Amino acid sequence: YEVVPVGFSAAVTALEAGECDGVIAGMSITDERVQKYDFSEPYYDSGVGMAVLSDSDITSYDQLKDQKVAAKIGTEGCTFAESIAEQYGFEVIQYESSSDMYQAVIAGEAVACFEDYPVIGYEISRGLGLTLPTPMEKGSSYGFATLKGANPELVEMFNKGLENIKASGRYDENRTAGEPPGSAARRRFLPYAGPAPQCRRLWMNLKQLYGFLPVMLKCFKFGYNIPWAWKDIPGMMHVNE
């Protein structure tokens, strides 16, 4: 098997071109997407957040008037930004990758960016010089996606594995891994952020995981580099613990 971390747009393109079997991490389940893809049961409830420079005076959407904001192509964050752009009078500039989008804000090319809340929250926890001045906007849930009708066995196995680890308590345990004591906001928004050893455990999980899969995967495409998804979601497919 091959695991390929790429940008969200590239991941979806690869799936549609038959270059991979599934997309995971940041693949929000929306009405539009269910017309094209088969989704697993939701494994994480996400949302959208606005991030600005840590020393920025911006604390609300009203302050974005006549400004440029950054968003990543094809994401829920981009859709949300575009939906309120006219109301608040700002321009949305689209980028291919999260890193390019963050750099646009840091370099002053945009005053803010809109991103999936747990994704940007994790990067901020790792030292990215941005902050989240507004509450999370309710978004869609994440799911594991395959092309519609192309791989029902794989989706079924994912769902069974997800059910297994929820029943065992492992799901809740992993969601709170690495959480600093006393951090209510982190407990609410960053439940997946864990230390490096936990991320390394992903590869052990993957080696075991693919021994159980009856379907041979060419590759997974990861829309985001989220250690929680890398570590836990493949582990969800463990049918035999």
Side-chain angles (χ1 to χ4, degrees):
Y1 67 89
E2 182 183 5
V3 179
V4 184
V6 296
F8 183 82
S9 180
V12 173
T13 299
L15 179 62
E16 295 181 354
E19 297 173 0
C20 68
D21 296 286
V23 173
I24 195 171
M27 189 64 166
S28 300
I29 304 171
T30 65
D31 291 340
E32 181 180 1
R33 287 177 182 165
V34 296
Q35 305 302 315
K36 298 174 63 176
Y37 311 111
D38 287 330
F39 280 94
S40 67
E41 292 297 318
Y43 65 80
Y44 187 79
D45 294 327
S46 185
V48 174
M50 177 182 74
V52 299
L53 285 174
S54 55
D55 60 355
S56 172
D57 295 328
I58 295 175
T59 58
S60 71
Y61 301 151
D62 293 320
Q63 294 169 276
L64 299 178
K65 184 175 176 58
D66 298 326
Q67 302 288 345
K68 294 180 179 180
V69 305
K72 188 163 56 176
I73 295 172
T75 62
E76 194 166 30
C78 187
T79 300
F80 176 77
E82 290 178 330
S83 74
I84 65 170
E86 184 176 352
Q87 177 184 355
Y88 292 101
F90 61 79
E91 179 184 358
V92 180
I93 308 298
Q94 298 187 15
Y95 294 85
E96 281 287 344
S97 69
S98 292
S99 58
D100 288 343
M101 178 177 63
Y102 303 152
Q103 187 57 40
V105 179
I106 293 171
E109 298 171 11
V111 298
C113 65
F114 285 85
E115 172 73 292
D116 284 15
Y117 204 100
V119 177
I120 185 64
Y122 174 72
E123 293 300 333
I124 290 172
S125 76
R126 294 204 308 166
L128 184 67
L130 303 180
T131 188
L132 292 158
T134 58
M136 180 178 71
E137 300 285 350
K138 181 174 174 55
S140 303
S141 300
Y142 289 162
F144 171 69
T146 63
L147 279 181
K148 203 160 192 68
N151 215 332
E153 299 92 347
L154 181 57
V155 176
E156 180 181 0
M157 176 162 283
F158 187 99
N159 287 335
K160 287 181 178 178
L162 177 58
E163 182 180 348
N164 285 349
I165 70 160
K166 283 185 174 181
S168 71
R170 183 176 175 184
Y171 178 84
D172 290 331
E173 176 186 343
N174 285 339
R175 280 172 59 88
T176 56
E179 188 179 293
S183 177
R186 191 176 179 87
R187 282 197 297 274
R188 182 178 177 188
F189 296 121
L190 302 176
Y192 52 83
Q198 291 176 317
C199 299
R200 288 196 294 269
R201 193 173 67 187
L202 159 69
W203 303 110
M204 296 302 296
N205 283 344
L206 283 173
K207 289 177 182 178
Q208 298 172 27
L209 159 65
Y210 285 93
F212 297 120
L213 278 179
V215 180
M216 179 61 69
L217 301 185
K218 287 178 290 184
C219 61
F220 273 116
K221 292 280 182 174
F222 286 78
Y224 298 117
N225 183 5
I226 310 176
W228 181 78
W230 282 52
K231 173 173 65 68
D232 299 328
I233 303 307
M236 288 179 179
M237 294 188 195
H238 282 244
V239 177
N240 301 316
E241 285 294 319

